[in-house]
Amino acid sequence: MEEFIGAWTARHGKSRDRLLPLLHAIQEEAGYVDDAIVPAIAQALNLSRADVHGVITFYHDFRRAAPGRHVVKLCRAESCQARGGAAIEEAAARRLGVPMGETRVDGQLSLEPVYCLGLCAIGPNALVDGRPVARVDAAALERIAAEVAA
Amino acid sequence: MSDDIEVMSTTGRLIYMAHQIALNLATMGEEGAVTALTDHLTSFWDPRMKEQIIAIARDEPDRLSPLVAAAVARMAQGRAAPHPDEDQFNSVNEVGHCDAG
Amino acid sequence: MTFARETDHGTPPALSTGKTVTLTIDGQSVTLPEGTSIMRAASLTGGSIPKLCATDSLESFGSCRLCLVEVEGRAGYPASCTTPVADGMVVRTQTDRLKQLRRGVMELYISDHPLDCLTCAANGDCELQDQAGAVGLRDVRYGYDGATNMGQLKDQSNPYFDFDPSKCIVCSRCVRACEEVQGTFALTIEGKGFDSKVSASQDDSFLGSECVSCGACVQACPTASLIEKKVVETGTPDRAVVTTCAYCGVGCTFRAEMRGEELVRMVPWKEGKANRGHSCVKGRFAWGYARHRDRILNPMIRASVSEPWREVSWGEAIAHTASEFRRIQAKYGTRSIGGITSSRCTNEETFLVQKLIRQGFGNNNVDTCARVCHSPTGYGLSKTFGTSAGTQDFDSVMKADVILVIGANPTDGHPVFASRMKKRLRQGAKLIVIDPRRTDLVKSPHVQAEHHLPLRPGTNVAMLTALAHVVVTEKLYDEAFIRARCDWDEFQDWADFVSEPARSPEAIEPLTGVRADEVRAAARLYATGGNGAIYYGLGVTEHSQGSSTVMAIANLAMATGNVGREGVGVNPLRGQNNVQGACDMGSFPHEFSGYRHVSDDATRGLFERAWGVRLDPEPGLRIPNMLDAATDGRFKGIFIQGEDILQSDPNTHHVAAGLAAMECVVVQDLFLNETANYAHIFLPGSTFLEKDGTFTNAERRIQMVRKVMAPLNGYADWEIVQLVANAMGLNWTYDHPSQIMDEIAALTPTFAGVNYDRLEAEGSLQWPANEAAPAGTPTMHIDGFVRGKGKFVVTGYVPTDEKTGPRFPLLLTTGRILSQYNVGAQTRRTGNTAWHPEDRLEIHPSDAENRGLKDGDWVTLRSRAGETTLRALITERVAPGVVYTTFHHPETQANVITTDFSDWATNCPEYKVTAVQVSASNGPSEWQQDYAAQARNSRRIAPLEAAE
Ligand code: SF4
Ligand code: SF4
Ligand code: SF4
Ligand code: FES
Ligand code: FES
């Protein structure tokens, strides 16, 4: 990972405002930004560890642990809530065997919250490995479960 | 203690110091350096160090470089003026009394 | 004195533009500098707007929304901390609507805050509590059943303060203090929204993070979330006394906050002109040594150093001291005794010790610990500029454009000044570092040197001459300045000398090991980058060419016109709290106070008339020469105040031999230090908390030290010197240190305008303070050099005789670290040991590998002077071929290794270059074992018999 950071900063610069693009690049490369790599990031951009840690934890988009092989995101924002999102969230956690916000012990999938996908009229909505799924109900959950079992 | 230690005798150290100063003043040219070294010895060396180096110049002249020897000679001349000698006390005399306890 | 917190105007003063604006606040018309916030404006006019996230040590942030105000003609309710005043503005700070809004905001804060105010350590000293009162909050409508952040675990890892997240209101004042004031960037707010919380580094404990324990966050915290352990233990203070830190030459002033006779905490004083409200871990927290059980409180004597100490009364100890000194003088002559003044003690005490020696001993055998640190500064700067002191005040750095740091590590040695410097660097000033080690300044969060020239130890003069070579040959010098201010002929001689091809960066590259193009670039930057300011430390002075290096620095500054105004100058970073003062007070064997030679008849006459004795016109012995003379049997007695020469001076064997050859060694100190192992009389000293006096910091700033508690040992140090003097037959009658200062002022032209009344009124004075400069002198040499024309001195490079070779292939250089102080007598007796429990030897990975060493291995460090053992720390901070260690712990005895080579002009020891070998080891050296046994033996005490 340190070589990756070196190569990236050589291409894109190492001024402090490069932090967000670098974090995105790392997440793309490794799937997440490991806490252990934070000192190297700080060193590369001449920031403190705290600076980098603050930014990573501020943006929900950045993961600090490897995600499951599949990622299911359920919308938790107002409209989806109004359309039964809370119940679906519970059902999903039970059916998929993983609490909200966590990765299943076998590493197969992560269940994560998301806040509004812009599909409010047809909620509750989900993203399954980046693909939107509207009107999530029990049947939809079964399909999702099957999909992420692979 | 290990025998690695090279101990410089106090006389040796005095001679070393004089030459070290001379070396650092060397960029001033010969005359300048002699003047500056004389001045340095006069202003910074305590009387007994002065006497010691004067004695060395007299008894073991080979141990001093020409520049150092010239400065020591000039410094010695300047010392002709009287100075308080070894055992002259100032007006404070005797062991005082203690008022502390 | 009653207890009141310092006023907090909420936001810092506006950067001065010279313009003012006039507005109306709550019906009152006020005129203020442009850029002032409404909050500050209201505070300055006697009002007060509730606030939580604002404090005047930090830039405004605008996050808490408690400080809302109404501005006529503007919609909404702007935050007063982030809204600047404007001409004609009409502001209302107290309306019913505002009250309601503020109460609403406060209610939300309190709904997630424990309501244990009555038992909280900060009760009565909490801004949240105050502000809740100020907005009239009486109850919280939300109840406490929802999710809260209460009940979280406290972080108690730091030895001095706790962090309790439950009480945190996430105002981020601590985070901003760590960034803006301290410049360490150890804190952040982790997460966001309701989950946000303060995190040290990556959710580490404070102790495990980059935190350097400066205390800025604790001071900034408006709640009890960050709070001193001592306040938790003792309760909140009830009175405060302003005094000056006794550790380093920055000279931070503090409010010593007391509860009765007990010191609760030291809070950096916002009015302090040296520290501007900031502090480091030592001054802020490491004062517990004052009450450490190791402190010696009774005088002790013994006939020989192999006997145990015998506690005696003060009367007996003083009489014995006087009679021993007189006995020795009667037997061996007037010049057979001498003394050492301490840079840790006050100006008044130092002055008295040198007076005791000149007047009472009748000779000039007085020296001071400055011998081993900044004596070359005195020599070099007085030769070139005419004064033995730095040219600027600390504020000056905020106007520098290029900062050149040579042989100094301010983030460790002068931390509070380093924070200012880093702030300036973050504003865009450029930095050049000349140092064998990659110090923190070279690269640390948000700061990076433009050029780092990692030269081989011992090649400073060659390097500075090469910089001068570039300045002269590329015609970057300031001819107008030189012609007006210096001697043009001397300049030309110097210019010819430095221009020779043998002095070019290319020619010296093999010597220094630094790439010539880097040297050229650095020279160009310093000469042409705007205001160039040079800061240097012991890495310059503690060399065989220390004085030459100081003069080479002065030459460079004069050649580029960088002297005589703000933002430029030549600034020695003085080590000890009062090293400047000790030098000023006439602690050197050839000089009276104010740097006047003892052979000068007029000056001597002045002192002879004042003191009623004849004074010796010949210079006395310097410390190393005293030890030599002792070895030769011609120097038999010494009075050492507050200095541990056995541990701090080079070539420990030489020091030990000299001390052992004396008949009477008197040590006045707080603890049985290492030197005391060779002492016959021990006089217990007092701490800076127990006496009145003054210290003079590296900016020549004279500041008050005030007694906050009675001396545990019975007497302040100046009183003890007076007792000895009177026992020797002098007739001193000082009742208070102010009378000593009056005597100093009467006898010292540069101090003529200094007295306690003025210091009380003005807080501090920078000498010269006299008729010519009634207000003191922040910047020196403004209209001309003190000596008249600035003098260019040709400085040839003379390599040290301490050379590496097959037996000793590595170069050892020494230094110190933030949390410990020099020989560590104080800091080792505080919680600071959490950061530096032992001295380590820094060694480059390649050198370590060659020797089969792993990190943490015990190694033997050997030079031609001696050997010791310590553990290795493998790091790339040091270059291959160079090793580095600190000298804080007596077990290490790093100075067993250092040699007795010294500066040619001043005999300042060459601590920074010793040829050594490093090899694997399995335990302490023979000397360490022998020494430990002897020390144990020598420290035995037989207590004072009850009936006296
Ligand atoms: S004590 Fe100083 S360094 Fe440590 S977190 Fe607080 S402000 Fe930062
Ligand atoms: S710890 Fe104190 S200063 Fe820091 S965010 Fe919390 S309340 Fe504010
Ligand atoms: S910087 Fe120096 S003077 Fe200031 S608190 Fe620290 S040790 Fe004391
Ligand atoms: S609220 Fe769920 S998609 Fe907008
Ligand atoms: S004090 Fe102004 S927003 Fe906090």
Side-chain angles (χ1 to χ4, degrees), chain B residues 1-11 13-14 16-17 20-25 27-28 36 39-52 79 81-101, chain C residues 315 318-319 323 326 329-330 333-335 358-359 362 379 497 544-545 548 590 597 612-614 616-622 625 628 632 634 653-654 715 723 726-730 794 796 798 801 807 862 864-865 900-905 907 926-927:
Chain B
M1 215 105 338
S2 98
D3 40 29
D4 280 348
I5 306 167
E6 299 153 26
V7 186
M8 224 191 264
S9 71
T10 51
T11 331
R13 216 193 318 267
L14 206 67
Y16 177 85
M17 274 167 52
Q20 189 196 4
I21 302 165
L23 205 56
N24 275 280
L25 297 172
T27 48
M28 308 177 78
D39 188 48
H40 192 100
L41 299 179
T42 311
S43 339
F44 295 111
W45 282 27
D46 122 291
R48 284 175 303 181
M49 291 164 71
K50 288 174 182 152
E51 272 147 31
Q52 236 179 319
R79 275 173 66 75
H83 61 276
D85 53 13
E86 272 301 88
D87 47 20
Q88 185 191 346
F89 273 73
N90 60 37
S91 61
V92 185
N93 47 23
E94 290 311 300
V95 174
H97 66 286
C98 175
D99 60 359
Chain C
I318 298 287
S323 75
R326 283 303 185 219
Q329 284 194 306
T334 310
R335 292 193 174 116
R358 298 189 205 276
Q359 184 194 27
Y379 182 90
F497 175 82
S544 68
Q545 279 206 293
S548 306
H590 64 285
H597 202 277
V613 292
R614 247 185 89 191
D616 191 342
E618 288 269 12
L621 292 165
R622 296 170 173 177
N625 308 130
D628 275 347
D632 286 353
R634 292 179 290 117
H653 297 311
H654 177 224
Y715 294 104
L723 291 174
N726 287 340
M728 290 189 77
L730 306 177
V794 173
V798 180
D801 286 324
R807 251 170 76 216
R862 189 180 295 116
R864 60 180 184 84
D900 40 25
F901 285 125
S902 64
D903 174 45
W904 63 272
N907 293 123
E926 209 180 304
W927 160 265

Side-chain angles (χ1 to χ4, degrees), chain C residues 163 167-174 189 198 220-223 225-226:
Chain C
F163 171 55
K167 291 184 175 162
C168 175
I169 57 170
V170 202
C171 64
S172 106
R173 272 159 67 160
C174 53
I189 301 288
V198 172
C221 182
T223 69
S225 195
L226 281 162

Side-chain angles (χ1 to χ4, degrees), chain A residues 5-78:
Chain A
I5 296 172
W8 192 92
T9 50
R11 283 244 324 272
H12 304 280
K14 38 167 112 179
S15 62
R16 287 187 279 280
D17 62 5
R18 306 279 75 198
L19 179 58
L20 278 176
L22 174 59
L23 291 174
H24 281 297
I26 291 172
Q27 178 139 313
E28 197 138 296
E29 171 77 14
Y32 69 109
V33 185
D34 193 339
D35 283 348
I37 196 70
V38 167
I41 300 170
Q43 180 72 18
L45 303 185
N46 208 20
L47 294 162
S48 71
R49 290 196 290 139
D51 287 333
V52 179
H53 181 72
V55 169
I56 295 174
T57 56
F58 183 83
Y59 294 101
H60 286 297
D61 265 357
F62 294 122
R63 305 169 184 286
R64 292 168 62 196
R69 277 177 286 282
H70 299 278
V71 178
V72 177
K73 296 189 184 201
L74 277 182
C75 178
R76 264 184 163 180
E78 286 77 359

Side-chain angles (χ1 to χ4, degrees), chain C residues 245 247-248 250-252 254 279-280 282-284 414-416:
Chain C
C245 175
Y247 276 112
C248 89
V250 175
C252 298
F254 285 86
S279 64
C280 85
K282 295 187 288 289
R284 177 93 155 85
H414 301 82
V416 165

Side-chain angles (χ1 to χ4, degrees), chain C residues 99-109 141-142:
Chain C
K99 269 187 205 141
Q100 200 184 346
L101 285 170
R102 289 174 186 158
R103 208 176 295 148
V105 172
M106 186 49 98
E107 196 174 356
L108 287 168
Y109 276 107
R141 289 162 296 173
Y142 308 108

Side-chain angles (χ1 to χ4, degrees), chain C residues 591-608:
Chain C
E591 279 171 347
F592 290 116
S593 58
Y595 306 98
R596 292 161 299 159
H597 202 277
V598 291
S599 67
D600 179 63
D601 292 336
T603 308
R604 211 173 54 255
L606 191 69
F607 281 88
E608 287 180 340

